[in-house]
Amino acid sequence: MSDWLKNTPEAAQTYLDGKRLDEVECIISDLPGIARGKAVPAGKFDRQDYFHLPDSIFYQTITGGWGEAAGEEGFIERDMILKPDMATTSAAPWTADWTLQVIHDAYDRNGDVIEYSPRNVLKRVVQMYRDKGWEPVVAPEMEFYLTARNLDPAEKIKPMMGRSGRPAAARQAYSMTAVDEFGPVIDDIYDFAEAQGFEIDGITQEGGAGQLEINLIHGDPVKLADEVFYFKRLIREAALRHDCFATFMAKPIAEEPGSAMHIHHSILDIKTGENIFAGPQGGDTDAFFHFIAGLQTHLPSVVAVLAPYVNSYRRYVRDNAAPINLEWGRDNRTTGIRVPLASPKARRVENRIAGMDCNPYLGIAASLAAGYLGLIQEERPRAQYKGDAYEGEEDIPRDLSRALDIFDEAKAMHEVLGPEFARVYSIVKRTEYEEFLQVISPWEREHLLLNV
C-alpha cells in the first residue's frame, strides 16, 4: 500500500482491500457544484503533491459560457495550485476499475487560498465561528427526483417507471410502497454510499412523483458539504444504472413540489461542548434567538446563493411544500425557519429556503453566515409565527435578478463570505441570467406569437 493511502479514511482502504488501485480522480467543486479536475494514474498521484487547473473554472456559467470576472490585471487565466485533502479520499464504486476520488483545495502561487473556491468560502465561515469559540454543526436533507430519461430538452420531464411497470405516483409522501418502487436504485445508492464510507440517516418518499429525500447524520459543515457534493454524483450514477435520471433541479416538474436542501443548524461551545441554543435548565438562550434573527434579517441577501438559477424561484409557491417567507415557528413546516421537536441538547434551527440545486458548500456557508451575523450583532427575531405561514406576507425575492441586486448591496455579508467571492459570484450569475433572457420559451411562442 502506498504511504499516502495509509492516511486515508478506513472506508477507502476497505474498498481496495488488497486490490490494485488503478486511478485517482483529483476533483474540486466549481461554483455550480460540478466536479472539475483530472483523472491520473495511481502511480502518478503517488508522486505528486499538487496539480494545476486554471482559475477560470470558477468564472464558467452553468451553460459553459464565461463571466467577465477578471481582476484589475484583466483576464490572465492563472494556474491554481490544487492540494489534496486526504481525509476526503473516497471510492468511485461505479467505475469499471479500482478508482478513488480525492477533493482538493485551491491556492494561488503565493500559497494563499483562492477566495472564490466554494470549499474555501465554507472554511472561511466555519473559522469565523471557531474564532468566537463556537463549533457549528449542520445536518443537510437532500431532496431529488428520479425521472424517465429526458433526451430532448423540449420535452417535459416525466416520472420514471417504477418496479411495477407504472410511472411513479405523486402525493404518496412517506409511502413505503412508493419507496419499494425504486428499490433497485435505492439499493445501489446504499451500496455506493457504504463503499464511500457515508452514513445515511434515512430515505423517504416525498410528495412529488418519483421524489425522494435522503437525510444525513449531523456533523462538521465542511465534511457534510463534501458528502452532499459526493452524493449528487453517486445518486446520478446509481440512477443511470437503471435507465433513469436523477435530477437536483429545484423545480423539474411544473405540477409537482420542488426539491429543497433543508439545513439544520446547532452551535456548540468549543470549551464545554454544550449546545449554545439551550440554557442550563433547557430553556431557549439569547444565542438561539440571535441566530434565528440572523436568518430572518440576512437570508434575503443570500437567496441568490441558496436559489442560484432562474428555475429555483419556481419552487417558492404558496401551499406547495416550500416557504414563501422567513417567519419562524416551532414544529411548523409552513415557515421558512423551523425549530424541530428535539431535546434541549439537540435543539436546532432549520433553514427551509435552500434549494437542492445550490452548491452545498455555498448553501451551507451562506446559511451559517446569516446566523453568524445575527449572533455577533445580537439581533432579535420577529415573534414566533403561530398558524399557517402561507397566510403571511411574502418576503423572499421572487426572481434571480432581484436576488442578485440584494446580494450586491449586502456588504456585511460580503465580509463574511469573502469580498472576492461576492464579486466573482455576482458576475457569473448575472452572465447566466443574461444568457437565459436570450432564450424564447414555449409559453411565449404559444401565447404571444399570434395574440399580441
Side-chain angles (χ1 to χ4, degrees):
M1 178 183 292
S2 299
D3 288 341
W4 69 269
L5 277 171
K6 297 175 183 177
N7 300 319
T8 61
E10 183 180 353
Q13 298 180 39
T14 301
Y15 174 70
L16 290 177
D17 192 22
K19 308 291 192 308
R20 179 181 176 275
L21 176 64
D22 291 300
E23 193 171 67
V24 179
E25 296 179 345
C26 307
I27 59 176
I28 188 170
S29 166
D30 67 1
L31 288 189
I34 298 169
R36 306 281 182 185
K38 295 181 180 179
V40 301
K44 180 179 180 181
F45 184 82
D46 204 12
R47 297 188 300 271
Q48 73 180 30
D49 296 321
Y50 58 87
F51 78 103
H52 296 297
L53 282 181
D55 59 5
S56 58
I57 66 168
F58 297 118
Y59 308 159
Q60 196 165 11
T61 67
I62 195 68
T63 66
W66 302 93
E68 295 296 327
E72 294 179 359
E73 297 177 313
F75 186 72
I76 296 177
E77 200 171 13
R78 298 184 187 278
D79 268 346
M80 300 181 293
I81 298 171
L82 301 183
K83 298 181 180 180
D85 181 346
M86 294 306 183
T88 69
T89 306
S90 173
W94 48 84
T95 57
D97 53 16
W98 296 96
T99 300
L100 294 178
Q101 311 169 80
V102 183
I103 294 172
H104 287 55
D105 286 314
Y107 301 86
D108 65 19
R109 64 182 68 186
N110 297 317
D112 297 323
V113 299
I114 301 292
E115 272 195 24
Y116 39 83
S117 171
R119 196 169 192 254
N120 287 341
V121 174
L122 178 54
K123 284 187 170 184
R124 174 190 177 101
V125 176
V126 170
Q127 189 59 50
M128 286 185 169
Y129 272 87
R130 291 173 179 163
D131 290 344
K132 295 291 185 181
W134 303 321
E135 186 66 34
V137 177
V138 301
E141 300 173 353
M142 300 183 295
E143 296 178 348
F144 60 96
Y145 277 87
L146 296 175
T147 74
R149 282 180 177 266
N150 182 275
L151 305 181
D152 181 356
E155 292 289 329
K156 289 185 177 181
I157 295 173
K158 299 176 181 178
M160 70 167 284
M161 288 290 180
R163 188 183 58 170
S164 66
R166 301 177 66 183
R171 290 168 290 281
Q172 296 295 324
Y174 308 111
S175 165
M176 296 310 300
T177 301
V179 170
D180 290 342
E181 281 284 273
F182 316 120
V185 182
I186 292 174
D187 287 345
D188 275 350
I189 290 173
Y190 272 123
D191 289 345
F192 289 167
E194 182 178 2
Q196 293 187 252
F198 303 148
E199 187 174 356
I200 295 175
D201 197 36
I203 295 182
T204 59
Q205 163 74 24
E206 281 294 314
Q211 187 183 33
L212 298 174
E213 177 181 287
I214 292 179
N215 299 331
L216 301 181
I217 301 293
H218 63 273
D220 172 79
V222 177
K223 181 177 183 294
L224 267 297
D226 288 339
E227 288 191 13
V228 176
F229 174 59
Y230 273 141
F231 256 107
K232 282 191 169 183
R233 189 178 185 195
L234 174 165
I235 293 167
R236 287 192 183 99
E237 292 290 342
L240 288 173
R241 280 196 171 191
H242 299 278
D243 199 36
C244 63
F245 284 173
T247 180
F248 302 95
M249 281 178 66
K251 189 78 169 183
I253 304 175
E255 302 81 14
E256 303 292 350
S259 291
M261 186 182 76
H262 298 152
I263 307 169
H264 294 249
H265 317 72
S266 56
I267 313 295
L268 304 182
D269 183 297
I270 290 177
K271 290 182 179 179
T272 67
E274 298 297 322
N275 186 345
I276 71 170
F277 291 166
Q281 305 303 317
D284 299 325
T285 62
D286 287 341
F288 170 75
F289 291 110
H290 295 333
F291 190 90
I292 291 173
L295 297 186
Q296 284 191 325
T297 303
H298 300 287
L299 279 184
S301 68
V302 287
V303 166
V305 178
L306 302 173
Y309 305 105
V310 288
N311 175 264
S312 307
Y313 298 82
R314 302 186 188 280
R315 180 176 148 256
Y316 302 130
V317 178
R318 193 181 298 269
D319 296 317
N320 205 7
I324 61 167
N325 55 41
L326 290 168
E327 302 295 348
W328 78 276
R330 301 179 194 271
D331 193 26
N332 186 344
R333 283 182 169 84
T334 68
T335 58
I337 303 166
R338 171 178 170 253
V339 179
L341 293 175
S343 67
K345 184 177 181 180
R347 184 164 298 141
R348 59 194 186 274
V349 178
E350 178 189 13
N351 169 3
R352 297 176 63 81
I353 300 297
M356 196 61 233
D357 53 348
C358 77
N359 180 309
Y361 298 104
L362 299 180
I364 294 172
S367 194
L368 284 172
Y372 175 82
L373 287 172
L375 286 167
I376 63 171
Q377 295 172 3
E378 297 185 347
E379 298 172 346
R380 301 299 298 183
R382 299 192 292 269
Q384 177 187 179
Y385 198 97
K386 297 183 178 179
D388 185 352
Y390 289 124
E391 296 177 357
E393 296 296 322
E394 297 184 9
D395 59 7
I396 299 172
R398 289 305 307 274
D399 64 77
L400 181 58
S401 178
R402 176 58 183 149
L404 285 169
D405 288 343
I406 299 172
F407 177 76
D408 287 343
E409 296 164 2
K411 301 308 179 185
M413 179 61 72
H414 295 177
E415 290 304 313
V416 181
L417 296 177
E420 183 65 0
F421 161 73
R423 183 187 74 84
V424 171
Y425 187 83
S426 178
I427 290 171
V428 171
K429 286 299 164 184
R430 288 191 183 280
T431 302
E432 286 181 356
Y433 187 67
E434 291 298 322
E435 291 173 338
F436 168 77
L437 291 178
Q438 297 175 31
V439 177
I440 308 303
S441 70
W443 185 93
E444 292 165 277
R445 289 191 290 270
E446 179 178 353
H447 296 289
L448 305 182
L449 184 65
L450 300 178
N451 291 331
V452 298

